[in-house]
Amino acid sequence: MMDIQLYNTATRRKDTFVPIDPANVRMYLCGPTVYDRAHLGNARPVLVFDVLSRLLRHVYGESAVTYVRNFTDVDDKINATALARKEAGAKGTLEELVAERSDETIGWYHADMDALGALRPDHEPRATAFISQMVDMIADLITKGFAYENDGHVLFRVRAYEAYGALSGRSVDDMIAGARVEVAPYKEDPMDFVLWKPSDDALPGWDSPWGRGRPGWHIECSAMAYELLGDRFDIHGGGNDLQFPHHENEIAQSKCAGHGFANVWMHNEMLQVEGKKMSKSLGNFFTVRDLLDQGVPGEVIRFVMLSTHYRKPMDWTGKKAKDAARVLRKWRAVTDEVDVNQPPSDEFLRTLLDDVNTAGAIAVLHDLFNQGCFGELKASAAMIGLLNNGMGEWINRPGVVLDALTERLSQARAKAMETKDFTEVDRLKAAYLDAGVEVRMSKDGIVLGADLDADLSKLDSFL
């Protein structure tokens, strides 16, 4: 059997992955809080662990992998939207309106991630469906002395778990000094975190031994992972922003409850936009749906995201999207009629087995294209969700394709202005017009236009 090498955040080294049970490989990924559209950064862990899930199924068998990704549907922003709808006259209880809002946003999320070619996990639990399991786990932690109730809140005693901080490599005192922690009168220690908090009439709530309330964020994943994957499972993933406090807290409460929890911890690095951190204040914040609506195909987004190793920061740029579209058009032109009846290339698979190295794997795909190995190219690309038959409808759509064609004509025009030889400009313009692309040239620049009748496949040689 092929060996997979995975970098384990908990051990800070890359090791051969040894599943607890090769017939039942189990993986949990921290999913989204569903209060709005998924931004582009939210898509990175989805795509990284989608590829890992595909790889695990390739190695251990399609039915030998259980992949869980949760939905957090207990959140103040969701509550605020539900409350606003109730105050506006919407029918139903606050809990029902929260569920309605969650249904809406989960529908958006599925549509957006489907467009990126991400396969649905085996289980997608909602936090609100596992409240009783959370209550049971909290009660057990209180009984064992690892948690306490005060003023309607239940809190976890961080200092009662000696290994706290091992994942992120910091001591409790260092964390207090370097992080903002909530100081509250109901806490024994500033680092103690909330397992359960009270709800008033303006907030959704559930009955518990400590009164009507709702769970804290961290207990959700521990309870759902235990219920769906058991006492111990193989891989727990998420963005590296979750290492502290979320994953640190998950480990503490699960271990203190007597669970073995996760063997391997994997974290992807964050996303930037044009070299800067994505933020609304910088005006570079956008959702997956924003890109899709702008005409950037889901396959192009996927290609760009996977072109950087998951443990390195990923920089989204417009140029990368254009380059990805050009590459994918070339690859599709030679593989669309090819039947995939062969395994991925050995070199491709070896590269991917090395800590899910999608960047290196894509480099191998370039080599396969250059060598004319189109069957292996298609079979290998399919392993990471590219060149699949269901994702190629964008090829004859305008959008990023026209951007690339505009850039080609602009470069030819700039050169012609220097040499006074417009032969190449005239050749490009004639080819564009023959394909049904409208060409408008002025001193201000070049504008191309194309409707759905344009046959952009005629212009593959110019991309």
Side-chain angles (χ1 to χ4, degrees):
M1 183 174 288
M2 296 167 283
D3 286 337
I4 303 176
Q5 301 292 316
L6 296 177
Y7 183 86
N8 187 348
T9 308
T11 61
R12 292 167 178 76
R13 66 173 183 262
K14 186 166 60 176
D15 292 313
T16 299
F17 172 65
V18 180
I20 298 166
D21 177 3
N24 184 22
V25 182
R26 287 157 286 169
M27 179 169 71
Y28 188 98
L29 174 64
C30 283
T33 301
V34 285
Y35 62 86
D36 207 341
R37 288 280 188 185
H39 62 70
L40 189 60
N42 296 144
R44 193 173 196 200
V46 173
L47 295 180
V48 167
F49 290 94
D50 176 63
V51 172
L52 178 55
S53 173
R54 293 167 186 260
L55 182 61
L56 291 170
R57 294 178 198 279
H58 180 82
V59 173
Y60 296 101
E62 186 66 30
S63 62
V65 176
T66 303
Y67 174 24
V68 178
R69 184 184 67 216
N70 73 291
F71 287 118
T72 292
D73 56 349
V74 181
D75 178 80
D76 289 343
K77 292 180 180 178
I78 302 173
N79 298 342
T81 300
L83 185 60
R85 289 182 176 182
K86 186 172 182 65
E87 291 174 346
K91 295 181 179 179
T93 65
L94 194 57
E95 288 79 8
E96 289 170 340
L97 292 173
V98 165
E100 182 182 285
R101 174 60 172 173
S102 298
D103 287 343
E104 181 179 36
T105 51
I106 288 172
W108 295 345
Y109 184 84
H110 277 150
D112 294 347
M113 297 306 116
D114 289 352
L116 303 186
L119 304 176
R120 302 275 180 95
D122 299 287
H123 301 282
E124 295 183 289
R126 297 191 191 193
T128 52
F130 289 80
I131 300 295
S132 63
Q133 289 88 342
M134 296 177 208
V135 169
D136 290 345
M137 189 172 178
I138 294 169
D140 181 55
L141 289 169
I142 292 175
T143 299
K144 293 175 177 176
F146 292 107
Y148 59 93
E149 178 191 1
N150 193 354
D151 194 24
H153 295 75
V154 180
L155 297 108
F156 183 87
R157 286 190 175 97
V158 166
R159 293 183 189 273
Y161 178 59
E162 294 183 358
Y164 191 87
L167 184 71
S168 52
R170 294 178 290 178
S171 71
V172 174
D173 291 329
D174 287 343
M175 292 181 199
I176 292 176
R180 291 179 297 175
V181 293
E182 181 189 11
V183 178
Y186 49 79
K187 285 188 174 186
E188 293 179 354
D189 187 290
M191 281 299 293
D192 293 349
F193 60 87
V194 173
L195 300 172
W196 188 264
K197 49 192 172 184
S199 293
D200 58 26
D201 292 340
L203 291 169
W206 292 264
D207 292 333
S208 81
W210 321 286
R212 182 176 178 273
R214 60 201 191 280
W217 175 31
H218 311 297
I219 194 67
E220 297 176 11
C221 290
S222 286
M224 289 187 283
Y226 178 70
E227 185 71 16
L228 295 171
L229 298 177
D231 166 75
R232 181 183 289 276
F233 56 95
D234 297 290
I235 300 169
H236 194 311
N240 68 355
D241 58 324
L242 298 181
Q243 282 187 51
F244 177 81
H246 187 49
H247 288 165
E248 204 75 76
N249 292 352
E250 282 186 54
I251 292 171
Q253 63 203 8
S254 291
K255 291 285 189 178
C256 290
H259 305 165
F261 212 45
N263 279 0
V264 177
W265 286 85
M266 297 178 65
H267 294 91
N268 63 273
E269 258 287 358
M270 295 294 98
L271 175 136
Q272 298 176 326
V273 176
E274 304 288 348
K276 298 179 180 179
K277 181 179 179 180
M278 187 168 68
S279 76
K280 292 181 179 178
S281 62
L282 293 176
N284 65 352
F285 179 94
F286 48 86
T287 67
V288 173
R289 180 52 51 181
D290 289 335
L291 284 180
L292 294 171
D293 288 346
Q294 290 165 16
V296 182
E299 188 176 36
V300 169
I301 298 172
R302 185 182 186 96
F303 186 102
V304 174
M305 299 283 268
L306 296 182
S307 295
T308 301
H309 191 282
Y310 78 90
R311 287 196 288 114
K312 294 183 178 180
M314 191 263 142
D315 188 22
W316 173 272
T317 69
K319 183 180 184 303
K320 286 182 179 179
K322 292 176 184 178
D323 291 345
R326 183 169 61 252
V327 169
L328 287 168
R329 284 180 64 81
K330 288 181 179 180
W331 290 358
R332 281 196 169 276
V334 298
T335 62
D336 272 355
E337 302 302 320
V338 174
D339 290 329
V340 181
N341 54 3
Q342 60 190 99
S345 91
D346 290 340
E347 184 182 0
F348 175 89
L349 196 52
R350 278 196 302 271
T351 304
L352 198 60
L353 288 166
D354 184 10
D355 197 26
V356 201
N357 185 3
T358 55
I362 287 176
V364 176
L365 296 182
H366 283 287
D367 291 340
L368 293 172
F369 173 80
N370 293 333
Q371 295 162 12
C373 302
F374 301 140
E376 283 187 296
L377 170 61
K378 189 168 186 177
S380 302
M383 275 285 297
I384 56 174
L386 297 172
L387 302 186
N388 293 322
N389 293 333
M391 291 190 70
E393 70 282 351
W394 65 273
I395 288 296
N396 289 316
R397 235 173 48 210
V400 292
V401 179
L402 290 185
D403 290 340
L405 294 172
T406 301
E407 184 177 355
R408 176 70 184 271
L409 184 54
S410 296
Q411 291 173 349
R413 186 190 190 196
K415 185 176 181 180
M417 296 295 286
E418 295 177 1
T419 63
K420 306 305 179 184
D421 181 359
F422 286 83
T423 303
E424 178 66 5
V425 173
D426 293 338
R427 185 179 77 89
L428 291 174
K429 184 176 179 181
Y432 289 7
L433 292 172
D434 181 61
V437 176
E438 179 186 3
V439 181
R440 284 177 287 170
M441 303 175 67
S442 69
K443 63 179 181 180
D444 296 324
I446 297 171
V447 177
L448 302 184
D451 56 29
L452 293 177
D453 294 329
D455 184 4
L456 298 180
S457 63
K458 289 184 176 182
L459 301 175
D460 283 342
S461 61
F462 299 118
L463 297 174

